[in-house]
């Protein structure tokens, strides 16, 4: 099936609460029926010119700093990664049931790195059988411009660790066209998104004019980068494009495509999944109540315009974050 045919068919709180429970409350919606089997791979994306969305802000860093003090984020802290994975699966499955029932589709954006391991429980009972996988549409917040079978490919990572284990229809897994240049792949991916908005698969934010994905499951680097938006890089201030490209990534491989902040910040839900002591410094800064626009990390610039932002962390990741400095409400999830 051609790409065109495939696409066409297709405030501040500083309260620390101690709770002894295995998983946090989420949307109270039951999961639904099983979908169709997953097959060989994703369709490629066709190249066509893309129109540009209106700008959301002239300076993303300043806008994030201004909005950040008004937006409440929830921080969930787990004793162990296993408990985090159980809770993350429940959170995602309940959003899937709720939003698929409301919209007829569930749009999920994945990152690379350890996130794929963190969502492994979705591919196990009870979710393997109860989630309606036929409603899922899967995208990537960023991708390395390498062949799909390359060890650096975020698609390959997700395929091996998650997608091959759940019955999401192949035509609803949107990988980049790896035959194109970085610039071409970014334009092509944006064109695909715009067609899916036109078809009603992806919602559109009425407040920002950018696509509104149902949930983004994201990770963060030790330097505070998210997607392929790195500290100090000019791309953090891109405010017109939906998808852009980078050819000088400070982390190899150098050529990548990435969603921009206006798209990330238009999401309905974001789960920021961060574990390990190696990221404690960036977590400390991101969760501090002392933020200025001059030195924001990319993760601090993720401020939803009209959505719910939840941190899923473990104790090592918040090991140097003092509760008194937290700008967000926190829930410590201890093993029962």
């Amino acid at each position: 099936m051609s790409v065109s045919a495939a696409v066409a068919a297709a405030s501040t709180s500083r309260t620390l609460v101690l709770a002894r429970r295995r998983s946090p409350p989420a949307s109270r919606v039951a999961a639904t029926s099983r979908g169709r089997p997953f097959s060989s791979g994703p369709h490629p994306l066709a190249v066509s010119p893309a129109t540009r969305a209106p700008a959301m802000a002239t300076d993303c860093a300043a806008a994030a700093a201004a909005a950040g003090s008004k937006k409440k984020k929830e921080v969930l802290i787990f004793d162990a990664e296993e408990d985090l994975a159980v809770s993350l699966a429940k959170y995602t499955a309940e959003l899937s049931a709720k939003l698929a029932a409301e919209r007829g589709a569930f749009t999920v954006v994945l990152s690379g790195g350890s996130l794929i391991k963190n969502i492994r429980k979705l591919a196990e009972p009870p979710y393997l059988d109860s989630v309606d996988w036929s409603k899922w549409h899967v995208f990537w917040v960023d991708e390395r411009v390498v062949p799909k079978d390359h060890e650096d490919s975020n698609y390959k990572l997700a395929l091996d660790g998650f997608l091959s284990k759940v019955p999401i229809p192949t035509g609803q897994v949107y990988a980049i066209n790896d035959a194109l240049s970085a610039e071409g792949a970014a334009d092509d991916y944006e064109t695909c998104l715009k067609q899916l908005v036109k078809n009603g698969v992806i919602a559109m934010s009425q407040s920002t004019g950018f696509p509104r994905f149902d949930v983004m499951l994201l990770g963060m680097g030790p330097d505070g980068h998210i997607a392929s938006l790195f500290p100090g890089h000019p791309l953090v201030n891109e405010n017109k494009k939906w998808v852009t490209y980078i050819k000088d990534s400070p982390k190899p491989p150098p050529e990548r495509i990435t969603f921009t902040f206006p798209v990330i910040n238009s999401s309905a839900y974001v789960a920021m999944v961060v574990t390990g002591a190696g990221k404690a410094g960036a977590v400390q800064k991101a969760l501090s109540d002392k933020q200025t626009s001059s030195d924001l990390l990319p993760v601090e610039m993720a401020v939803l315009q009209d959505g719910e932002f939840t941190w899923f962390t473990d104790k090592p990741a918040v090991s140097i974050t003092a509760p008194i400095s937290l700008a967000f409400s926190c829930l410590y999830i201890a093993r029962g």
Side-chain angles (χ1 to χ4, degrees):
M1 180 183 293
S2 70
V3 176
S4 300
V7 172
S11 184
T12 298
S13 172
R14 299 181 185 176
T15 304
L16 180 63
V17 182
L18 176 63
R20 299 194 64 80
R21 60 179 70 176
R22 287 189 177 274
S23 59
S27 304
R28 291 181 174 85
V29 183
T32 54
S33 59
R34 173 182 285 187
R36 293 175 286 169
F38 182 91
S39 54
S40 58
H43 60 67
L45 302 176
V47 182
S48 60
T51 57
R52 300 302 180 202
M56 183 171 72
T58 55
D59 186 324
C60 289
S69 62
K70 302 176 184 178
K71 299 292 183 178
K72 181 179 177 182
K73 299 182 182 182
E74 185 175 33
V75 182
L76 305 179
I77 305 168
F78 297 85
D79 272 337
E81 189 278 336
E82 178 74 7
D83 302 320
L84 181 153
V86 169
S87 182
L88 183 61
K90 181 176 184 291
Y91 166 91
T92 307
E94 291 184 343
L95 286 180
S96 172
K98 177 183 186 300
L99 296 171
E102 292 175 357
R103 299 186 52 250
F106 183 53
T107 53
V108 183
V109 178
L110 303 177
S111 65
S114 58
L115 184 279
I116 300 304
K117 176 186 174 184
N118 298 144
I119 63 173
R120 66 188 180 279
K121 297 294 183 180
L122 282 167
E124 301 175 4
Y127 306 116
L128 181 61
D129 296 322
S130 63
V131 167
D132 188 353
W133 299 104
S134 69
K135 298 294 194 295
W136 279 48
H137 293 257
V138 178
F139 306 84
W140 277 265
V141 73
D142 71 328
E143 179 59 285
R144 291 85 178 271
V145 183
V146 296
K148 292 185 183 70
D149 59 356
H150 192 281
E151 62 180 6
D152 287 333
S153 167
N154 283 341
Y155 165 74
K156 175 176 168 52
L157 179 67
L159 178 67
D160 293 347
F162 175 62
L163 294 175
S164 62
K165 302 175 182 181
V166 295
I168 300 172
T170 306
Q172 294 170 201
V173 176
Y174 303 92
I176 70 167
N177 186 337
D178 57 2
L180 300 176
S181 66
E183 182 176 10
D187 286 345
D188 182 52
Y189 209 74
E190 182 168 320
T191 298
C192 173
L193 299 186
K194 290 184 175 180
Q195 184 62 52
L196 291 169
V197 167
K198 182 178 180 180
N199 293 351
V201 173
I202 301 174
M204 197 73 169
S205 171
Q206 298 303 307
S207 60
T208 70
F210 286 87
R212 180 174 173 84
F213 288 93
D214 292 329
V215 65
M216 292 197 182
L217 305 175
L218 306 181
M220 180 196 76
D223 61 352
H225 85 266
I226 61 172
S228 284
L229 299 166
F230 294 91
H233 196 282
L235 284 187
V236 301
N237 283 316
E238 171 58 56
N239 58 21
K240 295 181 176 64
K241 296 180 180 180
W242 295 11
V243 184
T244 190
Y245 67 97
I246 181 172
K247 302 185 77 170
D248 58 349
S249 167
K251 179 181 177 181
E255 295 195 357
R256 301 155 175 247
I257 73 164
T258 183
F259 283 7
T260 60
F261 272 117
V263 174
I264 294 171
N265 290 342
S266 296
S267 303
Y269 295 86
V270 167
M272 183 63 64
V273 186
V274 182
T275 61
K279 300 179 181 180
V283 170
Q284 179 189 39
K285 187 174 187 308
L287 298 185
S288 171
D289 59 356
K290 299 176 181 178
Q291 296 181 338
T292 63
S293 62
S294 62
D295 64 345
L296 289 180
L297 296 176
V299 69
E300 296 176 88
M301 298 171 66
V303 179
L304 302 190
Q305 298 299 304
D306 182 23
E308 296 184 15
F309 193 110
T310 304
W311 285 76
F312 287 77
T313 67
D314 62 1
K315 291 173 72 175
V318 296
S319 59
I320 62 174
T321 302
I324 193 65
S325 70
L326 291 170
F328 313 118
S329 62
C330 295
L331 182 64
Y332 171 47
I333 313 297
R335 282 186 286 186

